Amino acid sequence: MFKKQLGLLACVFTILIIALGSCKSKYEKLRTGNDNAKKYSEAIKLYNKKEYSKALGLFDPLVTRYRGQEQAEDLYYYYAYTNYKLKDYTSARYHFKTFADTYPSSPRAEECRFMSAYCYYLDSPIFSLDQDNTNKAIESLQYFINLYPKSDRVPEASKLIQNLRDKLEQKSYANSKLYLTIGDWQAAVIAFGNTLRDYPDTKYAEELDFLTIRAQYQYADHSREDHQVDRFNQDIAYAQQFIEKYPNSKYLKDAKDYLKESTLAIEKTKRVLAEAAFNPRLANKIARKDTVKSQPPSEKNNGDQKIP
């Protein structure tokens, strides 16, 4: 009895394997065959059934074979979207752009131009990674807006651009704070200024203005005495501007403390420099110091760089 059941199961499995093999060979036969019309119609059916990998396998050889023919426009449109549905955004954006360039008078040209830019948007990585695709997405979306200013897709394109700019802003903010974390104070001051210049409406403005005071104070405090007066004066200027600009800031007390400390440091530095004027040994000791004490690698040989 057991042997009969085992034999029956073996027969069932054999039939299933043959059936599956038959289905596969039918698709492969069509894919490698020369019946382009049937291949095209089956590819559309597979696309509509959301079997995108199989559809792509049939579309691939047809793209070159239908070039210049009446069906080429529809075919290429489906081909671009098949790559998009498979989340191959690099290929999809290329094919969407190629469609728009090849068929500029097509009713689908505007859609494909937008989709090409949107694929760049989807390929934009998290803020901590390289933002080349983010910048290209902004350029492509802006180009779409310029090309189709009355398009219904303009509001969406504008929103996407803002999302991308927010990501660039976040990266600039994080990078500038990193300089302060590693003790590269001069670079931090410059980076904070660059972020505020590039993103004047940034939500991080108050924090960055305060961190500029902190970084400038550290830069001055670690500088050689003959550079300290100018650098502490710059910190005083930053602190005064901050106090005037943000009278209710949570950083207000700390800003005032830096203002006081910088003022006291200038007085102390002037006393040391006055003594050095009559004490050659002290003057030589100061002259032998690095421009910035314990300066990080990025500041070596660059201690006299002017802070904007």
Side-chain angles (χ1 to χ4, degrees):
M1 184 68 179
F2 177 74
K3 289 183 178 180
K4 288 183 178 180
Q5 290 177 340
L6 192 62
L8 182 61
L9 285 173
C11 289
V12 171
F13 279 123
T14 302
I15 293 170
L16 284 173
I17 290 170
I18 292 172
L20 290 172
S22 170
C23 291
K24 182 179 179 182
S25 62
K26 182 180 178 181
Y27 170 80
E28 286 299 322
K29 184 177 180 180
L30 177 62
R31 189 180 68 83
T32 56
N34 295 320
D35 191 342
N36 293 330
K38 187 174 181 181
K39 192 181 298 186
Y40 182 32
S41 63
E42 186 63 26
I44 299 296
K45 289 178 183 178
L46 289 169
Y47 177 90
N48 290 330
K49 290 165 62 176
K50 300 183 180 180
E51 295 184 38
Y52 302 118
S53 294
K54 283 189 173 183
L56 186 65
L58 297 179
F59 281 134
D60 267 330
L62 292 175
V63 170
T64 53
R65 292 175 187 173
Y66 273 80
R67 187 171 296 159
Q69 298 184 34
E70 184 180 349
Q71 302 97 321
E73 181 179 329
D74 282 346
L75 170 62
Y76 206 74
Y77 177 79
Y78 275 105
Y79 185 57
Y81 262 107
T82 302
N83 283 276
Y84 172 76
K85 295 293 186 179
L86 289 170
K87 297 185 178 181
D88 183 357
Y89 301 127
T90 300
S91 297
R93 70 173 177 248
Y94 171 80
H95 294 306
F96 281 127
K97 180 180 182 300
T98 301
F99 182 97
D101 291 340
T102 306
Y103 308 105
S105 301
S106 169
R108 296 165 171 168
E110 177 190 318
E111 174 190 355
C112 287
R113 185 72 67 185
F114 174 81
M115 289 301 299
S116 177
Y118 184 58
C119 285
Y120 264 126
Y121 176 85
L122 294 175
D123 258 349
S124 173
I126 60 174
F127 77 92
S128 58
L129 300 179
D130 179 77
Q131 295 300 305
D132 184 54
N133 273 355
T134 301
N135 288 312
K136 288 179 178 177
I138 291 173
E139 292 173 6
S140 298
L141 288 164
Q142 189 59 57
Y143 179 69
F144 172 82
I145 292 172
N146 295 342
L147 198 62
Y148 302 101
K150 296 182 180 180
S151 170
D152 292 340
R153 295 182 175 89
V154 166
E156 183 179 359
S158 299
K159 183 179 179 180
L160 295 176
I161 288 174
Q162 187 57 55
N163 292 342
L164 295 165
R165 286 176 175 164
D166 288 345
K167 186 183 294 187
L168 293 178
E169 177 187 324
Q170 187 178 10
K171 183 176 182 65
S172 181
Y173 164 75
N175 285 350
S176 61
K177 287 186 70 176
L178 181 61
Y179 287 116
L180 186 60
T181 301
I182 66 175
D184 196 342
W185 307 293
Q186 184 185 22
V189 171
I190 295 171
F192 291 145
N194 290 342
T195 300
L196 290 165
R197 179 199 63 206
D198 295 340
Y199 307 98
D201 298 324
T202 176
K203 60 185 177 183
Y204 306 112
E206 181 180 338
E207 180 185 359
L208 292 176
D209 278 332
F210 171 71
L211 291 178
T212 300
I213 301 170
R214 177 183 291 176
Q216 180 64 26
Y217 178 85
Q218 293 295 335
Y219 178 49
D221 189 48
H222 287 78
S223 295
R224 200 169 65 191
E225 284 83 349
D226 52 347
H227 290 274
Q228 284 186 330
V229 173
D230 287 343
R231 291 171 183 176
F232 277 122
N233 272 324
Q234 181 63 69
D235 195 51
I236 289 172
Y238 287 142
Q240 289 173 335
Q241 291 169 9
F242 183 90
I243 291 167
E244 182 179 349
K245 188 176 180 180
Y246 305 104
N248 299 313
S249 172
K250 64 180 181 179
Y251 304 112
L252 188 62
K253 182 181 181 302
D254 289 330
K256 289 180 177 179
D257 287 343
Y258 278 119
L259 176 61
K260 180 180 178 181
E261 291 299 321
S262 290
T263 302
L264 293 173
I266 289 173
E267 294 174 2
K268 179 181 176 181
T269 300
K270 285 181 176 179
R271 288 195 297 268
V272 173
L273 293 176
E275 183 182 349
F278 299 97
N279 186 336
R281 186 175 178 180
L282 178 58
N284 287 334
K285 182 180 178 181
I286 293 173
R288 286 196 300 270
K289 292 181 180 179
D290 288 334
T291 305
V292 178
K293 294 181 289 184
S294 303
Q295 63 186 40
S298 63
E299 274 199 23
K300 287 182 179 178
N301 303 318
N302 196 31
D304 292 317
Q305 180 177 342
K306 186 177 180 181
I307 302 297

